[in-house]
Amino acid sequence: MSEHYVCFIPADPKFVPSKGSQDAAVALIQRAWLHISEITPETNEHIVFRDCGENFESIHCPSCNTELRVDQWHELMEQDYSDEGGFQLDQLPMPCCEEKLTLNDLSYKWPMGFSRFVLRAGDPGCEDSEKLLNELESAIGCQLRIIHQMY
């Protein structure tokens, strides 16, 4: 049986909310999704890639809408990553149109992204609500991206 998680990450990959903001966000999820047993806030020292697992379908350049091959994307990932500093999210020329973009700018289907902070919850068994997202953004203090992970 697959495991499903809903991850909330800041739109700004470097942003880390205060401990109080993280606790408020956890409490909001607990009230909205009553049967959730696992809600984990996590902060990493460096920017980390947050994947969607088995939900992965494609990656597109937002400038020219060309679908990037996985090997092209892997090459970009290798260029941007260092063992000492994680992902730098430098602007890199895209192999399709030479537009300079960060890995976080790419269009991922299903959504994926990069962040230092993630708030991960077990499968809620229901749809995300716009109301909950707005409340979480207010509690955390920034815009959020939602990533549905399936493993």
Side-chain angles (χ1 to χ4, degrees), residues 103-120:
L103 291 167
N104 203 47
D105 295 330
L106 298 177
S107 298
Y108 296 96
K109 186 173 178 185
W110 288 53
M112 298 189 280
F114 296 79
S115 69
R116 287 192 54 219
F117 173 77
V118 62
L119 181 58
R120 182 176 291 111

Side-chain angles (χ1 to χ4, degrees), residues 3-11 13 29 33 47-56 103-104 106 108-124 126 128 133 136 144-151:
E3 292 188 40
H4 176 218
Y5 300 93
V6 179
C7 298
F8 299 92
I9 64 170
I29 292 174
W33 296 336
I47 295 172
V48 173
F49 175 59
R50 311 294 178 179
D51 68 276
C52 63
E54 295 172 20
N55 286 331
F56 174 79
L103 291 167
N104 203 47
L106 298 177
Y108 296 96
K109 186 173 178 185
W110 288 53
M112 298 189 280
F114 296 79
S115 69
R116 287 192 54 219
F117 173 77
V118 62
L119 181 58
R120 182 176 291 111
D123 182 3
C126 60
D128 305 325
L133 180 60
L136 288 171
L144 297 172
R145 290 184 179 183
I146 301 173
I147 300 171
H148 290 268
Q149 295 180 323
M150 183 76 68
Y151 298 105

Side-chain angles (χ1 to χ4, degrees), residues 2 14 17 22 35 52 55 59 63-64 66 94 107 113 117 120 132 134 145:
S2 294
K14 295 177 184 174
Q22 292 177 32
H35 67 281
C52 63
N55 286 331
I59 305 162
S63 293
C64 68
T66 298
M94 293 297 106
S107 298
F117 173 77
R120 182 176 291 111
L132 176 59
N134 290 336
R145 290 184 179 183

Side-chain angles (χ1 to χ4, degrees), residues 4 28-29 53-54 72 80 135:
H4 176 218
L28 282 168
I29 292 174
E54 295 172 20
Q72 292 173 314
D80 195 67
E135 289 174 343

Side-chain angles (χ1 to χ4, degrees), residues 1-125:
M1 176 183 240
S2 294
E3 292 188 40
H4 176 218
Y5 300 93
V6 179
C7 298
F8 299 92
I9 64 170
D12 173 358
K14 295 177 184 174
F15 182 81
V16 176
S18 69
K19 176 75 168 108
S21 295
Q22 292 177 32
D23 292 343
V26 168
L28 282 168
I29 292 174
Q30 287 171 327
R31 282 195 301 275
W33 296 336
L34 298 175
H35 67 281
I36 294 292
S37 61
E38 180 184 350
I39 305 170
T40 309
E42 177 185 309
T43 301
N44 297 91
E45 183 179 348
H46 303 292
I47 295 172
V48 173
F49 175 59
R50 311 294 178 179
D51 68 276
C52 63
E54 295 172 20
N55 286 331
F56 174 79
E57 289 183 22
S58 63
I59 305 162
H60 287 81
C61 171
S63 293
C64 68
N65 204 33
T66 298
E67 183 173 348
L68 298 179
R69 295 187 325 263
V70 173
D71 65 309
Q72 292 173 314
W73 176 66
H74 280 213
E75 195 173 299
L76 292 170
M77 295 278 280
E78 287 176 17
Q79 286 177 39
D80 195 67
Y81 183 80
S82 78
D83 288 336
E84 302 82 37
F87 286 98
Q88 302 305 300
L89 298 182
D90 292 331
Q91 296 216 338
L92 303 170
M94 293 297 106
C96 44
C97 64
E98 295 298 315
E99 183 75 25
K100 290 192 175 188
L101 301 168
T102 72
L103 291 167
N104 203 47
D105 295 330
L106 298 177
S107 298
Y108 296 96
K109 186 173 178 185
W110 288 53
M112 298 189 280
F114 296 79
S115 69
R116 287 192 54 219
F117 173 77
V118 62
L119 181 58
R120 182 176 291 111
D123 182 3

